[in-house]
Amino acid sequence: MISNDIAERILAAVDAQFDAQLERTAELVASPSLRAGEEPAQDLVEQQLRGLGLDVDRWTIDSPELREHPGFGKPTVDYGGMTNVVGTYEPTEDLGKSLILNGHIDVVPEGPEDKWSRSPWDAEIRDGWMYGRGAGDMKAGLIANLFAFDAIRKAGLELTGRVHLQSVVEEECTGNGSLAALLRGYTADAVIISEPEEDALVRANVGVLWFTVRVTGDPTHPREMANGFNAIDAAYEVIEALRGLEEEWNAKKGEHEYFENLDHPINFNFGGIRGGDWPSSVPAWCELRVRVATYPGTTADDAWAEIEECVADAATNSSHRPFEAQLTPDGFYSEGYVLEPGSDAEGLLEETHRAAFSRELTSFTTPGYLDGRVFVNYGNIPTLVYGPVSENIHGFEALRS
Amino acid sequence: MISNDIAERILAAVDAQFDAQLERTAELVASPSLRAGEEPAQDLVEQQLRGLGLDVDRWTIDSPELREHPGFGKPTVDYGGMTNVVGTYEPTEDLGKSLILNGHIDVVPEGPEDKWSRSPWDAEIRDGWMYGRGAGDMKAGLIANLFAFDAIRKAGLELTGRVHLQSVVEEECTGNGSLAALLRGYTADAVIISEPEEDALVRANVGVLWFTVRVTGDPTHPREMANGFNAIDAAYEVIEALRGLEEEWNAKKGEHEYFENLDHPINFNFGGIRGGDWPSSVPAWCELRVRVATYPGTTADDAWAEIEECVADAATNSSHRPFEAQLTPDGFYSEGYVLEPGSDAEGLLEETHRAAFSRELTSFTTPGYLDGRVFVNYGNIPTLVYGPVSENIHGFEALRS
């Protein structure tokens, strides 16, 4: 542990910079880094990293090695102009342990305009909360990484271990950004991902798969509708079948350490639907966008086989008439992870957490995707996903107003 | 009745022109007159009408009078460049009865490409059937109107009554094309609409309403999904509620002459669905495009009030949590019609049908929209919807291959 004196100097340096930290956070929230639109926000991060005097590595994430990796999520956008940014600090004398501070720059879509009382990109602070898409998930954490690093030097201290400050893309859809950073050779003794986890540590985390189900059949004019096929109904049969699989998987929670005490650890989400061409034509096609979760230890391939079987059964045994259902992976294709307790990194976090909050660090299992799986499963690095308080991170501002 | 000799001369003239009739039909099918894209096809019709030596009236359908009419369907496209074409024959001496021969130029969308073994626009003839979107519904009938008119003159006869050959838009979505033609002043002693009705006469016909239901609520991240709202589920609750209303209306068929013996006279169709923005966000919104049918005598306003009540109940009494549901009319807003038996026009059709087919004319009730409602309800003109044999008019070619 560091001495109280040093801790106080660092905390004072954090406080001294806090207004600037909020400003930089707001500036980053104001840059709508939606998928495939992250570059202006990465420019801001790069500028910050250069301002900290770091060596900056910025590269387009695509590579054959990435695409062949078993943890590669299937992209639906062009990776040609999509970059990661990493700022590296090399100590003059390398005596300490190395650390990766990771955050993602991408945000999920802001949703319907009428769910916001003002722009999702204005980063207004009201009653102590910053509002805006991505403020919590996770631009606050990403900027906190940079200011934490800077505060140590502002406190007059010199770091004796290598530090990589990473701003990655694609965390909200494939996890390929962090995977590309690992494959580029960035490793360390520990990783901190400052996701909004309510000042608690993620112990275990589901795998996530994204895919589209396209159901098709042969409809007809409404005047002959009784004999026809309706793709919207067929899509709903697929939803019901997958909900059956979801409950099957939830029923097995007792077999999975860190999941056995959760009410409903496995959540499937039906996040999008599109079908039909014309109000007076029975729809011939309907596409569902689905997100499923899996327990750690279940490979994406194994989960995929079960999903395929479930949907094929629904299509064959339809209560109306059999239909075709085509499944296409189009995003996350990932395995969950467990952070094994007992690492030095975790021990240090316990101590600093206790010092900061005057209470013990708690850990928990989260049913959302995290890039931690990249560093734990493929880098074998203790990875602390731990970060600030947030609310309603994929929701809308209007919920709090 | 005309004499056998004259009938034979006319039939011979029809036969002599039949290859040309098929060619013109194929040419018209090859022009994809999808909604708001009808003008090139209307150019072809205009050229044909001018070739017949008729006075041609071509005008954009929009007018304040049209928009204020109770039978006006709510358009979702710009009417600025959308025209009707009418060719008028005025006899040198006006001794006979006048006639409108009406057909619509617009076709419904062709649907998914993979449901066709070739282009929907190539009008190929195979085993005695012409394939293509709109071949049956209703370019065959539209061209037949022109060639029937021409055959009489080719047979060396002179018509002694006024004839209007109408090619109208918007029959597949609002019925505003025929309504605009009526409002422009075109009336006659009878109307023939040569829709594909299997050589039978339409006695009664439903009204049709189109509308969009937009359901919205407050979703959240999948990790908190149990507390959230899913717009796709809410949309399905609306579907189920409207299906309840559909069955309620069907249960009343005994009160409606010409509908009491049909299995299921009232069909609702859920023709389109769109919802959600992101696979890992619970969808906040979902839009359904709906087509409902009503009995003749039920005004669109009365039907609309019942629909609004049904959907509002579903939204308030949701099995999950209450949601918002906004209804917007966006197409047909029409009342059905009954062709009262006993008109001179129908008597003449009975005779000519018997002569042509050696069997009695049958009449029937159709659960699809027809422009007949314009001329019957608002023009008080006997309107014979009667035309050629077709199959699967809003379906796909692949169904027959």
Side-chain angles (χ1 to χ4, degrees), chain A residues 97-130:
Chain A
K97 293 200 168 173
S98 56
L99 181 65
I100 290 169
L101 288 161
N102 172 287
H104 66 84
I105 192 72
D106 55 313
V107 301
V108 299
E110 70 277 24
E113 200 180 314
D114 63 8
K115 293 283 172 192
W116 295 83
S117 72
R118 53 199 309 156
S119 166
W121 314 111
D122 73 357
E124 187 206 12
I125 295 174
R126 215 191 307 157
D127 302 329
W129 290 85
M130 183 179 288

Side-chain angles (χ1 to χ4, degrees), chain A residues 252-263 265 295 365:
Chain A
K252 292 182 186 160
K253 66 182 182 182
E255 302 166 23
H256 298 274
E257 197 180 359
Y258 305 117
F259 291 82
E260 63 275 44
N261 295 323
L262 296 181
D263 270 353
Y295 296 108
T365 298

